[in-house]
Amino acid sequence: MTTDWMAEARRTVRGRRSDQPGSPARPGACPAPPLSETEICEAEAELGIAFPDQYRTYLLSRSAGGVDGAGSAMNRLRRSAAGWGWQGDTDTNYDLLTTAFPHPDSYSAAEEELNGREPLTDGYPDGNAYRTAWQHWDAEYEVFQERKTSGAVYIQDNGCGFATLLVVTGPFRGSLWFDGRATCDRILPLHLDGRPVSFEEWLGRGSMDLVGW
């Protein structure tokens, strides 16, 4: 059965939200007050996930987001007219939050194969045939890229197209990753002293200082 990648791309992109008013947290912004246990449980139930322990504790005891006393800026978890979500974040795919986050090694071969199938103009008899083939390939590529961040929240905007991901679903739940696809086309784990950094250790540190480029 042939996949209609154009339709799949349209369906997949609907998982992103553009209706969480506000901007991502920036230095100088005020931290939001903590959430109550009732609010956290409501958010988890609506989103279909369980927040990693250290992030959950942070939400409950310190702040829902913004900039805290240690200078950590993160997108604020809040309830708007659209429901629970992260303020100013238009990258998290809410439809994919319940799908396990994939380690980059798990799709490297598939990505190489997909890149190798990019249509070339000399393989088609006319421009229309080439454009149609390329549009279908591009839609498949878009879906492939979107699924790379399944089960993860864009917890921090690092500027210049970079962002920090907090994994909320799957075997890597609680780990932090750096979306560096804006330049190096890679999603990289954040490490401290040669091991994965925890959420508490990440607070107050710069994500770019924790990336093994």
Side-chain angles (χ1 to χ4, degrees), residues 24-27 73-75 88 91 154-164:
R26 296 288 188 183
M74 70 181 74
N75 293 332
D91 292 315
Y154 280 77
I155 200 70
Q156 185 181 73
D157 178 6
N158 299 115
C160 299
F162 299 129
T164 301

Side-chain angles (χ1 to χ4, degrees), residues 98 101 110 120-121 128 136 139 145 154 164 186 192 196 201:
T98 59
F101 177 79
L120 302 175
T121 53
N128 287 334
H136 282 273
Q145 292 295 327
Y154 280 77
T164 301
R186 297 171 65 193
L192 180 66
E201 291 171 328

Side-chain angles (χ1 to χ4, degrees), residues 2-210:
T2 302
T3 301
D4 183 344
W5 290 110
M6 302 285 280
E8 184 66 13
R10 289 192 295 270
R11 186 195 68 78
T12 300
V13 79
R14 285 198 294 267
R16 293 191 179 195
R17 290 186 184 174
S18 58
D19 47 8
Q20 281 288 337
S23 301
R26 296 288 188 183
C30 296
L35 299 175
S36 67
E37 177 68 24
T38 298
E39 288 174 317
I40 292 174
C41 288
E42 181 183 298
E44 289 178 320
E46 183 179 312
L47 296 169
I49 59 176
F51 297 129
D53 293 344
Q54 291 186 8
Y55 179 56
R56 197 177 199 279
T57 298
Y58 180 88
L59 293 172
L60 186 62
S61 62
R62 292 174 60 178
S63 172
V67 181
D68 67 12
S72 297
M74 70 181 74
N75 293 332
R76 176 186 175 185
L77 178 65
R78 56 175 254 170
R79 179 175 51 205
S80 72
W84 282 97
W86 288 268
Q87 181 176 352
D89 167 34
T90 59
D91 292 315
T92 295
N93 193 308
Y94 289 73
D95 288 350
L96 297 176
L97 278 181
T98 59
T99 302
F101 177 79
H103 192 286
D105 291 346
S106 70
Y107 53 72
S108 58
E111 183 167 28
E112 184 176 347
E113 187 272 337
L114 178 58
N115 287 333
R117 286 194 286 107
E118 181 176 1
L120 302 175
T121 53
D122 57 6
Y124 293 86
D126 59 71
N128 287 334
Y130 166 72
R131 281 190 293 273
T132 298
W134 193 89
Q135 287 170 352
H136 282 273
W137 176 87
D138 187 57
E140 182 180 358
Y141 187 82
E142 180 181 358
V143 172
F144 189 93
Q145 292 295 327
E146 194 75 5
R147 290 174 179 171
K148 285 182 177 183
T149 57
S150 296
V153 171
Y154 280 77
I155 200 70
Q156 185 181 73
D157 178 6
N158 299 115
C160 299
F162 299 129
T164 301
L165 302 168
L166 172 65
V167 177
V168 296
T169 308
F172 302 102
R173 180 172 169 267
S175 61
L176 290 139
W177 297 70
F178 190 75
D179 188 348
R181 288 177 292 176
T183 56
C184 70
D185 202 31
R186 297 171 65 193
I187 295 176
L188 302 159
L190 298 188
H191 283 91
L192 180 66
D193 299 328
R195 56 176 174 75
V197 67
S198 69
F199 181 81
E200 279 293 332
E201 291 171 328
W202 170 73
L203 292 173
R205 291 181 167 88
S207 291
M208 289 190 183
D209 295 331
L210 300 169

